[in-house]
Amino acid sequence: MKRRMESDLPKDALRTIQEGTVAFTYRGVLCQKNPFDLALYSRLLFETGARSIVEIGSSAGGSALWFADTLRCYGRNPRIVSVDVNPVSGVNDPDVTFAQGTALALGEVLPESFLRELPRPWIVVEDSAHTYEVTRAVLRFFDPWLEVGEYAVVEDGIVNDLEGAEYRAFENGPNRAIFEHLDDRPGRYEIDSHYCDYFGHNFTWNTNGWLRRI
Ligand SMILES: C[S@@+](CC[C@H](N)C(=O)[O-])C[C@H]1O[C@@H](n2cnc3c(N)ncnc32)[C@H](O)[C@@H]1O
């Protein structure tokens, strides 16, 4: 039976957490994450022993900075690669590489020779357009690269729970893409309820989106 995709967080709480999330800053840089997901990522990064984070969707670069600081805090030598259609300026970190390109053609910006050099384990974070098409493209691109025990985190399935035309416009893209990707690749991924449900059923903006390669 398929997992429910909805979050059990009350609608009023979703709205106010979303308002805070989109304005949240880390070290003065916009970092659009909420306390649930910062806590869950801090555990995921520690528990997996992650060395590389490949993030699709940089925005201002605050999340890439947070990933780098967190992994350094754990004594790792991190490699953070963050791709966006728009350039990132004003964030300079020796362990973070920002690359400009589209999620729909990741091979152009992340060539094989570059990816092969990234230390394992990896965490892939899809946090770009949140449409069905883009989410599917990102999951497809990384499928042959992900090794057992690594994760692809699909962000912002919560758009389906948030009220308002701007969220309906995503047409439940992340959740639809997740289920189709899992159906297409039986036995290769599991939705990791340890992270999805740590604080309550889908008390995360990445509803059903913590995908473990098995
Ligand atoms: C939600 S923001 C990223 C937030 C950031 N990861 C954070 O946590 O602070 C989404 C970003 O995805 C980028 N984006 C949208 N569509 C894209 C695409 N097709 N390819 C690459 N980046 C895209 C936007 O320019 C925007 O900066």
Side-chain angles (χ1 to χ4, degrees):
M1 202 175 71
K2 281 189 173 158
R3 271 176 57 89
R4 266 190 309 123
M5 64 178 81
E6 294 80 14
S7 171
D8 279 351
L9 278 163
K11 293 286 182 202
D12 280 355
L14 286 176
R15 184 177 48 77
T16 57
I17 296 168
Q18 172 68 356
E19 286 166 9
T21 302
V22 295
F24 189 72
T25 58
Y26 173 68
R27 290 176 57 192
V29 183
L30 192 65
C31 172
Q32 297 182 311
K33 306 254 179 279
N34 60 55
F36 293 110
D37 293 321
L38 290 171
L40 294 171
Y41 271 121
S42 73
R43 289 201 60 165
L44 179 76
L45 268 49
F46 183 76
E47 288 163 3
T48 55
R51 288 282 313 283
S52 296
I53 312 286
V54 186
E55 176 187 61
I56 314 302
S58 322
S59 188
S63 49
L65 197 56
W66 184 87
F67 286 134
D69 280 349
T70 302
L71 286 182
R72 281 191 291 257
C73 191
Y74 296 162
R76 317 262 171 82
N77 276 333
R79 284 295 310 278
I80 316 297
V81 182
S82 186
V83 176
D84 202 290
V85 276
N86 298 315
V88 175
S89 58
V91 175
N92 296 301
D93 184 291
D95 298 319
V96 179
T97 304
F98 291 108
Q100 195 175 355
T102 170
L104 290 170
L106 284 173
E108 290 172 10
V109 65
L110 301 173
E112 274 190 47
S113 54
F114 175 80
L115 289 175
R116 263 199 300 271
E117 298 302 315
L118 294 181
R120 303 275 177 174
W122 296 5
I123 305 291
V124 169
V125 177
E126 157 44 25
D127 190 18
S128 61
H130 309 312
T131 61
Y132 167 80
E133 183 191 24
V134 167
T135 310
R136 275 290 261 164
V138 173
L139 288 174
R140 266 200 212 102
F141 177 82
F142 286 106
D143 180 57
W145 285 98
L146 285 172
E147 296 182 354
V148 171
E150 296 180 329
Y151 282 73
V153 182
V154 175
E155 293 228 354
D156 286 334
I158 201 71
V159 290
N160 200 46
D161 293 51
L162 291 164
E163 290 171 344
E166 69 268 43
Y167 301 115
R168 277 198 300 281
F170 293 103
E171 298 179 320
N172 198 18
N175 287 299
R176 287 167 49 220
I178 289 167
F179 283 128
E180 285 198 22
H181 188 67
L182 268 55
D183 283 349
D184 274 3
R185 289 158 176 78
R188 273 178 75 80
Y189 297 90
E190 67 179 9
I191 295 173
D192 194 341
S193 57
H194 170 63
Y195 296 105
C196 290
D197 303 336
Y198 185 80
F199 295 107
H201 183 85
N202 275 331
F203 277 32
T204 167
W205 259 220
N206 314 329
T207 53
N208 289 1
W210 302 78
L211 306 180
R212 182 171 191 266
R213 176 74 176 85
I214 52 174

